[in-house]
Amino acid sequence: MAARLVLRIVTPKQPILETEVQEVTAPGTLGEFGVLPDHVTFLSSLECGVLRYRTLQREAAVAVRGGFAEVRANVVTVLADDAVLAEDIAPEAVRSDLTSAESVLKRAAFGTPEYAEAEERKRWAEACLAATRLRPAG
Amino acid sequence: MASLKAIRKRIASVKNTQKITKAMKMVSAAKLRRAQDAATNARAYAEKLSELMRQVAASMSDTPHPLLQRRERAVGRVDLLLITADRGLCGAYNSNLIRRAEQLLADHGRERVHVTFVGRRGFDYFKKRGVVIADKHINLFGGPDLALARRLADHLANEYAEEKTDAVFVLYSHFRSALSQVPTVEQLLPIVPAAVSPEGVREYVVEPDAATLLDRLLHQYVRVLVHRAFLEAQASEHAARMTAMDSATSNAADMIDRLTLEMNRARQAAITKELMEIVSGAEALKG
């Protein structure tokens, strides 16, 4: 029997997810990395992006913002600043967020806190949208 | 003895007050439950983060990070983050915190402490009492949140890393139970990670590299500490208000009982007086 892998996602506000999975792909700082059962003990910081996982039944996506991932003893623990399951994302709301962030980026000067904040909002909105696109139809 | 009418009016007014305190108590009870849930939900993250932080700090112990380093040469300034409530009517909650803050100010020398205020009550008390006000966040709708914790933590961490301050403390009310909240001082910076036994140190493959990772972990850790202090403070505030309003409600009930007794006595006295007048009038007529 193959070893089992558990994925846990927690944010400062609340735990998001704890489930048994076959495979996890996460947006690490040095690029995406994949985790299969019996992975080496591993620690990485994460970037804003899409985390994907595969269970026996389905494939799913989670938008994660920053944070860290630890892989140890077949448990993947993701400490994200923020995380939303793809099925909980409302694309319309995210799109309007994206437009508002982009409009700020157009008028704000580069290097100001306002610019940096809008840029982060834009990245987050894009990650959310990317996550919804990976959601299987139906 | 007060007149019957005056007593009736008092009873009516105390009853109104009682209605208000009762409603406030119930609102606080609901808010307390929500605050406690929030604190419980945040725990998993905080525990895991501090575990990772300790692990990486232990593996990097030969090149200490600025946020972990104690000042060798003091610059003569310490920072205090004082978390009080925006509103009163919560018993001794705010005054306990203020008293503890006064004590801390006395310990470090009043003029050397730069205070960052969260909550109006603490600010109102100290604004005319000769302390250095570094920053204030008052009248926060819905209480201090994660975004504010982030901003304050990042700012204080920067001040520390730039060697502008010797230490940063946070003073908040620790939520022990619904009946007991204890003002607590915690050292925010420098961070003192609990030691990890040598055999407890795990060999991680790290990305991008241990130094960058440690830096990010430590900054996040400070944010989480501030956030946790916020959550504890909110739970404490609601608990304190609930207790205060509960005793106010029962005090009002006692008062109503006493006044009712007094009113009945006054009524009885008036009746007796009237009877006496009638009887003595009849006696006089008999002559």
Side-chain angles (χ1 to χ4, degrees):
Chain A
M1 199 182 112
R4 297 190 292 188
L5 191 62
V6 172
L7 172 65
R8 280 175 62 203
I9 304 181
V10 270
T11 69
K13 281 199 184 114
Q14 70 224 338
I16 298 288
L17 179 76
E18 176 151 4
T19 177
E20 202 170 292
V21 296
Q22 304 288 303
E23 182 185 356
V24 179
T25 311
T29 302
L30 296 185
E32 271 201 343
F33 60 87
V35 182
L36 289 166
D38 293 327
H39 194 279
V40 67
T41 303
F42 176 71
L43 184 60
S44 172
S45 53
L46 297 179
E47 293 303 313
C48 198
V50 182
L51 179 145
R52 282 170 292 144
Y53 65 90
R54 190 164 54 80
T55 68
L56 284 175
Q57 292 85 26
R58 64 189 196 123
E59 247 179 87
V62 186
V64 293
R65 170 151 68 176
F68 312 93
E70 184 207 35
V71 185
R72 186 169 66 88
N74 279 329
V75 179
V76 183
T77 309
V78 175
L79 295 176
D81 291 357
D82 209 342
V84 197
L85 303 181
E87 54 258 41
D88 295 340
I89 296 171
E92 301 76 39
V94 175
R95 254 180 231 121
S96 77
D97 260 11
L98 184 61
T99 346
S100 88
E102 275 168 346
S103 74
V104 173
L105 285 181
K106 258 176 222 145
R107 70 189 155 71
F110 180 76
T112 57
E114 196 189 5
Y115 188 92
E117 193 258 351
E119 202 171 26
E120 205 189 313
R121 257 182 33 223
K122 183 182 167 196
R123 261 206 301 272
W124 174 233
E126 281 168 350
C128 287
L129 285 179
T132 58
R133 275 199 287 279
L134 288 172
R135 175 168 55 176
Chain B
M1 192 179 281
S3 80
L4 205 53
K5 203 177 161 206
I7 298 175
R8 280 220 181 90
K9 251 175 120 177
R10 284 271 330 259
I11 292 180
S13 111
V14 174
K15 270 190 179 151
N16 277 336
T17 311
Q18 191 189 27
K19 269 183 209 149
I20 294 168
T21 57
K22 209 171 186 174
M24 280 184 78
K25 180 194 145 193
M26 289 195 299
V27 170
S28 294
K31 283 188 176 166
L32 169 62
R33 206 164 323 124
R34 223 174 309 143
Q36 270 179 294
D37 285 349
T40 322
N41 283 338
R43 196 160 300 142
Y45 183 92
E47 275 167 11
K48 192 69 199 179
L49 184 76
S50 79
E51 177 198 321
L52 292 182
M53 186 274 289
R54 283 203 306 276
Q55 284 287 339
V56 180
S59 72
M60 294 273 301
S61 51
D62 30 336
T63 45
H65 188 274
L67 297 184
L68 293 168
Q69 250 169 338
R70 289 186 51 149
R71 285 273 171 277
E72 275 155 26
R73 260 180 323 136
V75 292
R77 167 183 153 188
V78 293
D79 271 76
L80 171 65
L81 178 60
L82 175 61
I83 304 168
T84 59
D86 267 336
R87 290 180 302 156
L89 289 181
C90 45
Y93 175 79
N94 287 312
S95 47
N96 283 343
L97 285 165
I98 287 168
R99 196 170 331 126
R100 187 68 189 82
E102 281 283 11
Q103 205 182 327
L104 194 126
L105 287 171
D107 290 349
H108 287 91
R110 217 178 168 80
E111 61 292 334
R112 294 177 51 221
V113 184
H114 289 223
V115 189
T116 304
F117 293 97
V118 174
R120 192 165 56 85
R121 287 285 154 159
F123 175 70
D124 280 353
Y125 176 87
F126 280 110
K127 68 182 170 193
K128 293 203 181 102
R129 283 183 166 84
V131 299
V132 186
I133 298 165
D135 198 0
K136 68 174 189 338
H137 298 273
I138 59 176
N139 297 333
L140 301 160
F141 182 76
D145 58 3
L146 187 58
L148 179 64
R150 228 188 137 100
R151 260 202 340 265
L152 289 179
D154 288 354
H155 175 73
L156 291 168
N158 268 342
E159 299 274 284
Y160 188 81
E162 286 169 12
E163 305 200 2
K164 286 182 185 156
T165 181
D166 292 330
V168 180
F169 299 97
V170 57
L171 169 51
Y172 65 98
S173 185
H174 174 67
F175 178 81
R176 199 184 275 163
S177 73
L179 296 174
S180 155
Q181 303 90 35
V182 194
T184 307
V185 179
E186 249 171 45
Q187 181 171 319
L188 213 54
L189 293 163
I191 298 169
V192 190
V196 184
S197 63
E199 58 271 24
V201 177
R202 300 194 282 262
E203 285 303 320
Y204 282 105
V205 175
V206 293
E207 258 182 35
D209 59 89
T212 319
L213 209 52
L214 182 62
D215 184 67
R216 283 177 72 161
L217 280 166
L218 289 174
H219 278 96
Q220 189 64 19
Y221 182 71
V222 179
R223 293 175 192 153
V224 166
L225 281 184
V226 174
H227 186 226
R228 207 198 50 204
F230 283 174
L231 292 173
E232 292 264 347
Q234 267 164 308
S236 298
E237 181 191 337
H238 295 312
R241 183 165 295 121
M242 190 179 82
T243 321
M245 288 303 113
D246 183 51
S247 63
T249 308
S250 68
N251 284 346
D254 289 350
M255 201 167 195
I256 291 169
D257 284 351
R258 218 191 58 231
L259 286 171
T260 312
L261 200 68
E262 206 175 297
M263 182 186 75
N264 286 339
R265 221 177 265 147
R267 191 168 51 94
Q268 193 58 54
I271 293 167
T272 313
K273 202 174 123 210
E274 265 174 51
L275 270 178
M276 294 262 284
E277 276 163 9
I278 295 168
V279 171
S280 59
E283 288 290 321
L285 282 180
K286 255 189 226 165

